[in-house]
Amino acid sequence: VNHHYFYQDYKGPKIGYTVWETTRYPDQFFNKLKEFDQIWVPSEWQKQCTIEQGILEKKIKVVPEAVDSKVFHPNPDVTLPEYDDGRFKFVIFGRWDYRKGTTEVLKTFGEVFAGKNDVELIASVENPFPSDGLKTTQERIEHYGINTKNIKFINFPSRKEYVKYLQEAHVFVSCARSEGWNLPLIEAMACGTPSIYSNWSGQLQFTLDKGVP
């Protein structure tokens, strides 16, 4: 959305592929989309949002995103040392912001599992482009008064480590207010990891009858 490629001049048929997280596009960008011969979106949900905002249904095609099953697949072998401590592991991946519902997940976990030593949440929630006036994860923890005794924060794990965290977790958690697709969720599901998620928006394209909405 709003990438400069959409505003360049092209000869011949024009197809715009765009992934968006909310029910309406920015007006300037939406007016530019109207000039395209076809609009490709990843989900039926986004298709309906696009129709409701004013683009003809015949111009819109649903082209889902995908997950690489050669990388994201079940793996019964526990190789991360922190997963071999006998504690039940929840994981959350996604930058800390309002749309992702990060504050609610962390606060709820800290309250529900306070005083329990047999459960842990591993959270990768760094936000290099914050809009809340807070610069670091530690500042947000203090600002929102989150109980972190059972929460372990990890910062930008490598791709290999990320896959292992998903494969070896007991439960993946997502509570986004809206998603254009939700890559971590589909990748966790592909790893066979039980997943909790909000019953809403673009992720429903692949979550039907799966996980815990």
Side-chain angles (χ1 to χ4, degrees):
V1 168
N2 265 334
H3 193 282
H4 63 86
Y5 284 166
F6 285 91
Y7 296 90
Q8 295 180 4
D9 293 326
Y10 300 100
K11 295 181 180 179
K14 290 197 300 182
I15 298 173
Y17 183 73
T18 180
V19 182
W20 192 229
E21 296 92 358
T22 70
T23 55
R24 291 187 67 85
Y25 301 89
D27 289 337
Q28 177 184 353
F29 178 73
F30 188 74
N31 289 331
K32 175 56 63 173
L33 277 185
K34 291 179 179 178
E35 301 174 7
F36 284 70
D37 299 286
Q38 284 188 15
I39 309 298
W40 290 6
V41 298
S43 70
E44 288 289 340
W45 174 80
Q46 190 177 337
K47 175 182 177 180
Q48 292 306 313
C49 292
T50 308
I51 293 170
E52 290 171 9
Q53 194 167 346
I55 287 181
L56 295 175
E57 181 176 3
K58 66 180 181 180
K59 293 179 65 174
I60 308 168
K61 309 294 182 184
V62 175
V63 182
E65 294 189 35
V67 61
D68 188 347
S69 60
K70 294 181 181 178
V71 176
F72 298 95
H73 54 77
N75 183 357
D77 298 324
V78 175
T79 58
L80 291 168
E82 55 264 54
Y83 272 46
D84 200 22
D85 60 5
R87 305 173 83 185
F88 193 93
K89 305 289 185 179
F90 291 84
V91 294
I92 179 172
F93 283 90
R95 68 184 186 183
W96 192 328
D97 67 18
Y98 176 80
R99 182 176 63 81
K100 293 287 189 179
T102 317
T103 302
E104 289 79 1
V105 171
L106 297 176
K107 283 182 69 70
T108 300
F109 191 91
E111 293 167 2
V112 170
F113 294 106
K116 298 185 181 296
N117 298 319
D118 57 352
V119 63
E120 182 178 52
L121 172 64
I122 294 177
S124 178
V125 294
E126 286 294 300
N127 187 349
F129 306 105
S131 59
D132 58 5
L134 302 171
K135 297 180 180 179
T136 66
T137 295
Q138 186 59 40
E139 285 186 18
R140 294 184 185 90
I141 291 169
E142 296 171 359
H143 178 78
Y144 292 108
I146 293 170
N147 176 14
T148 62
K149 185 176 180 181
N150 294 37
I151 303 176
K152 176 181 179 179
F153 291 92
I154 58 174
N155 299 332
F156 301 115
S158 68
R159 179 73 164 175
K160 184 177 180 180
E161 290 173 327
Y162 168 68
V163 174
K164 288 185 178 296
Y165 275 116
L166 292 183
Q167 290 175 328
E168 298 176 17
H170 294 104
V171 174
F172 173 87
V173 180
S174 173
C175 192
R177 290 177 165 87
S178 189
E179 286 283 359
W181 186 254
N182 200 337
L183 276 172
L185 177 58
I186 195 173
E187 289 166 350
M189 287 183 160
C191 290
T193 303
S195 300
I196 301 172
Y197 58 92
S198 46
N199 193 21
W200 172 246
S201 66
Q203 59 199 7
L204 301 187
Q205 187 73 22
F206 62 84
T207 58
L208 183 62
D209 298 325
K210 300 177 180 67
V212 184

